[in-house]
Amino acid sequence: MNSQMLEAAGVSPVWLAVAAIGVAVVSYFLGCFNGAVVVSRYILRDDIREHGSGNAGLSNFYRVFGGPLTAAVILSDVVKAVLAVMFATFIAGHISPELIVLSKYWAGAFCVIGHMYPCTFQFRGGKGVLSGGALTVMVGIGGGGVLPSWIIPAVALGGFIALAASTKYISLGSCWGGASFIVTSWLVYRDPLILLLAAVAGGLLLWKHRGNMVRVAKGTESKFVLHGGSRSKSAKAGAARETEPAPTPAPEAESVPADVAVGDEPAPQPEQKDN
């Protein structure tokens, strides 16, 4: 596949392959650090993949657990994508500045793959919304081709926020983000290799949300609402039941002979005469 960026870089294919493999491996394993799985398994001791939709992502984590640990999931999934792109740009910058934009897409695609299919967690990961969003922002910083690069995050994240806020369907906004990432990446750079990598990242996000789109069409998709998490509510309810005082037993009534009517005095017994 012809790429204007590769041709402009003029790098030896051997060194280019070594750098590409190294960046791919590092980015993939960064993606394997799934925040929802790590927090639920090793902090809450309750694997998120066993609850709700079974997805190891932010939406399912928030619906099930809620609470401040949701921020830890957001931070981990965003930071790993940022680190992957920063590492790639560092390597590309030392090889050829012409490869920096291409390296962002390369690292981002492998980070998203690692998030969705982590070898560290039985290849059962999330849907890549947070990591994909971070990749979109990183691609939009300090680049540009036919059009300014900031158009990519502006269209993707702007549409995501508008759709998610108006419909309460996070999945609908996510699909917009994945599809628009592919289209705007091509419009901005017009490079076939960029288009391929954008299609990998955005296409996988769409593939992961195929079930959500079916439920949106049927009207059975869950809408996003602010709450404390179903598991946290169950835990609080259980704790409340444990702390409730035990009910005091009612005093037992005195036994009354069966032949005495309720409210009557016992009948006098006849005197026994000595023989």
Side-chain angles (χ1 to χ4, degrees), residues 63-146:
R63 288 192 182 101
V64 174
F65 296 112
L69 286 176
T70 302
V73 176
I74 296 173
L75 186 64
S76 64
D77 287 352
V78 169
V79 167
K80 68 185 182 185
V82 172
L83 290 176
V85 172
M86 289 180 64
F87 175 74
T89 54
F90 174 79
I91 298 297
H94 282 74
I95 298 175
S96 172
E98 299 292 337
L99 296 174
I100 289 179
V101 172
L102 186 59
S103 70
K104 291 181 179 182
Y105 279 87
W106 180 261
F110 278 93
C111 184
V112 169
I113 292 172
H115 177 80
M116 294 180 178
Y117 304 103
C119 63
T120 51
F121 298 117
Q122 301 83 43
F123 298 96
R124 296 172 57 199
K127 296 183 179 180
V129 177
L130 285 173
S131 298
L135 167 62
T136 303
V137 173
M138 295 298 289
V139 163
I141 297 175
V146 179

Side-chain angles (χ1 to χ4, degrees), residues 30 76 99 126 134 175 254 266:
L30 280 171
S76 64
L99 296 174
C175 288
E254 296 182 359

Side-chain angles (χ1 to χ4, degrees), residues 38 72 94 99 120-121 123 150 153 182 213 220 231 263:
V38 170
H94 282 74
L99 296 174
T120 51
F121 298 117
F123 298 96
W150 58 262
I182 301 171
M213 291 300 95
T220 58
R231 293 290 293 177

